[in-house]
Amino acid sequence: MVLPTANLYALRVNLSVAIVAMISNRTIIVNGTLETLSGPEFNWSQQMRGQILASFFYGYIVTQLPGGFLSHRYGGKYVFGLGIFLTALFTLITPLMASWSPYLLIGCRVIEGLFEGVTYPAIHAIWAKWAPPVERTKLATFGFSGSYIGTVLALVISGSLAESTAEWQSIFYVFGSLAVIWFLLWVILVTESPVGHPGITNAELDYIQNSLGYSEDQTKQVHPPWLSIFKSAPVWAIAVAHFVENWGFYTWLTELPTFMTHVLRFHIKEGSFLSALPYLVMGIVVLMGGYFADVLRSTFGVPTVVVRKIFTCGAFALQAIFMIAAGYLMSRVAAIACLTVAVGIGGFAWAGFSVNHLDIAPQFASILMGLSNTFATLPGIISPSLTGVIVSNEESSGDWQIVFYLAACIYGIGALVYGILASGETQSWATMPGGYHSYNEDPEAD
């Protein structure tokens, strides 16, 4: 699951670097001196750039719950695969849309968001059938780590492509083509559930499904208890935590290349590499967090709810501290160090709230992920536009400090809400009646 989630984020991140090249002077270095070849290809205002960067999320937010329901009803494999494939097709035509009109570019990104919106709920539909409870944190976070690997690769590679002779257009052609190739391999190699895997033994299948407490056939016969889901405090705790983590993540995912270029005065290629550093750290932390969370639960017997709260609330508290420090110090080394820690430490939060759906209602995890990710998409819409309003002068460190302090306040609120409302137990409305009938039991014995 690392490669597909890497694809997901590469397709959404590439514009953050490309747009810097699209609105910058074309320059070359001659005898150590930077010389301008021509002016920017697009003269978009800061507000227009904010709208372009946010447009992906206008579509992304719409299909979260439908993606969760479709994945619950029909399975996650094809919902997930088609989501990436169709996003890739529109990525390939992004340069053409941009050359015609910024509004066509916005429309193209909205459509990409619509198709990619079904993917994260579909991931939880797959894990709900494959991941035993004692292993689900490290398995799920291993898959989620691909998001940050994809972010790192997209930022670094996009910066190099933007300054190559192929220019910024090649960014969309490269990542769109790679995603199409991945889709073909996904369709051929991946099965929806353990039942359909040609290499699995009855013992392995029995272990997975017995530990889950249900089979794939059972989950298809159960209708989601919508009212109970919407009334559940633990569900809303996850939604709030997801919103909070994504506020900081999306703020810097879309704005960090601009901040690096205009405030810290890095060149596009340097800025894209340094912009990737926090996400490299986050990818490593996500993997570590998933492993340690499961060790605490399985080896040391720490209750699941305690583990989820420690990792989520602890991460939010540290992120708030380092975000404030970054805004206060605002020098090259200090800003990079603090932002790297502030963003990277969020990986521990993913070992908390992002797996919590599978704790409280595993068979409805895709729907719960759709619900929480709906709210978690709002930062992608609000933050770039709000940043565009706050940062009236993109070279003003004072304007950027407001962005830092706002993120810190949101982290603090998230830690408080999740610490009070979260749960680690299967909810009463998610209990499967009858339990699981083992493949190793004699059906005539009942």
Side-chain angles (χ1 to χ4, degrees):
M1 292 298 288
V2 173
L3 187 57
T5 52
N7 263 299
L8 279 175
Y9 269 75
L11 293 174
R12 85 171 64 170
V13 171
N14 50 28
L15 183 62
S16 298
V17 176
I19 200 169
V20 177
M22 294 162 77
I23 61 170
S24 300
N25 292 330
R26 293 182 60 201
T27 59
I28 59 172
I29 298 176
V30 179
N31 296 326
T33 303
L34 193 66
E35 294 188 3
T36 300
L37 293 178
S38 64
E41 191 168 344
F42 302 97
N43 291 306
W44 294 328
S45 67
Q46 178 72 7
Q47 286 72 27
M48 175 60 77
R49 279 175 262 165
Q51 289 299 314
I52 291 171
L53 290 171
S55 58
F56 174 91
F57 301 99
Y58 300 152
Y60 190 71
I61 195 171
V62 172
T63 50
Q64 295 295 323
L65 273 175
F69 176 77
L70 290 172
S71 300
H72 172 76
R73 182 68 183 84
Y74 300 106
K77 174 185 174 179
Y78 286 104
V79 174
F80 184 73
L82 286 171
I84 295 183
F85 174 68
L86 294 171
T87 303
L89 293 184
F90 279 87
T91 297
L92 291 170
I93 65 170
T94 297
L96 179 62
M97 297 296 102
S99 67
W100 285 351
S101 164
Y103 299 103
L104 285 176
L105 173 59
I106 288 173
C108 184
R109 291 289 290 181
V110 169
I111 294 171
E112 288 180 44
L114 284 170
F115 289 127
E116 195 168 308
V118 303
T119 54
Y120 259 71
I123 291 174
H124 264 23
I126 295 170
W127 285 128
K129 298 169 185 174
W130 277 95
V134 295
E135 302 175 46
R136 63 171 48 130
T137 313
K138 62 173 174 279
L139 288 175
T141 52
F142 178 74
F144 287 140
S145 69
S147 303
Y148 312 108
I149 294 170
T151 299
V152 171
L153 292 175
L155 289 170
V156 173
I157 295 172
S158 294
S160 297
L161 290 172
E163 294 200 329
S164 71
T165 55
E167 299 186 336
W168 61 267
Q169 294 91 337
S170 62
I171 295 172
F172 302 100
Y173 300 143
V174 167
F175 289 110
S177 299
L178 288 174
V180 170
I181 294 170
W182 167 84
F183 171 73
L184 298 176
L185 295 174
W186 174 265
V187 171
I188 295 170
L189 300 177
V190 173
T191 60
E192 173 66 36
S193 68
V195 174
H197 196 284
I200 198 167
T201 65
N202 280 345
E204 291 169 329
L205 179 62
D206 189 61
Y207 165 71
I208 293 173
Q209 295 193 335
N210 190 48
S211 63
L212 292 174
Y214 55 81
S215 67
E216 182 181 6
D217 290 337
Q218 284 178 286
T219 59
K220 287 182 178 179
Q221 298 168 7
V222 177
H223 298 291
W226 293 105
L227 184 59
S228 297
I229 289 173
F230 284 111
K231 289 169 59 180
S232 173
V235 169
W236 290 108
I238 296 171
V240 169
H242 206 162
F243 174 95
V244 168
E245 177 56 31
N246 276 16
W247 183 276
F249 181 80
Y250 283 141
T251 296
W252 299 115
L253 189 66
T254 55
E255 301 295 343
L256 201 50
T258 302
F259 175 75
M260 291 286 188
T261 301
H262 293 287
V263 177
L264 302 184
R265 302 294 182 182
F266 289 106
H267 203 246
I268 292 176
K269 189 173 181 179
E270 294 174 316
S272 64
F273 173 78
L274 291 170
S275 297
L277 186 59
Y279 304 105
L280 176 61
V281 173
M282 195 171 189
I284 295 170
V285 172
V286 167
L287 288 172
M288 292 170 53
Y291 173 79
F292 288 130
D294 276 349
V295 167
L296 288 173
R297 294 166 65 229
S298 60
T299 304
F300 295 98
V302 180
T304 297
V305 65
V306 175
V307 172
R308 301 297 182 230
K309 288 182 179 182
I310 288 173
F311 278 77
T312 301
C313 300
F316 287 171
L318 289 172
Q319 286 178 290
I321 291 169
F322 280 95
M323 198 64 74
I324 291 172
Y328 177 75
L329 298 172
M330 200 60 78
S331 66
R332 268 193 171 194
V333 174
I336 292 171
C338 290
L339 282 173
T340 297
V341 175
V343 175
I345 208 73
F348 282 119
W350 279 86
F353 75 85
S354 76
V355 192
N356 206 187
H357 317 75
L358 293 160
D359 298 325
I360 65 174
Q363 72 274 38
F364 304 123
S366 63
I367 293 172
L368 300 191
M369 174 58 90
L371 177 62
S372 73
N373 213 19
T374 296
F375 287 90
T377 303
L378 290 173
I381 298 172
I382 299 170
S383 180
S385 300
L386 183 59
T387 301
V389 173
I390 294 172
V391 184
S392 56
N393 177 7
E394 59 195 11
E395 297 182 358
S396 168
S397 59
D399 288 353
W400 285 98
Q401 282 177 330
I402 299 173
V403 177
F404 284 76
Y405 298 151
L406 176 61
C409 290
I410 291 173
Y411 283 131
I413 293 170
L416 182 64
V417 172
Y418 191 82
I420 294 172
L421 299 181
S423 173
E425 303 298 323
T426 301
Q427 301 300 288
S428 58
W429 45 266
T431 303
M432 289 294 295
Y436 169 63
H437 185 82
S438 173
Y439 279 86
N440 295 326
E441 293 176 4
D442 182 359
E444 300 299 327
D446 293 334

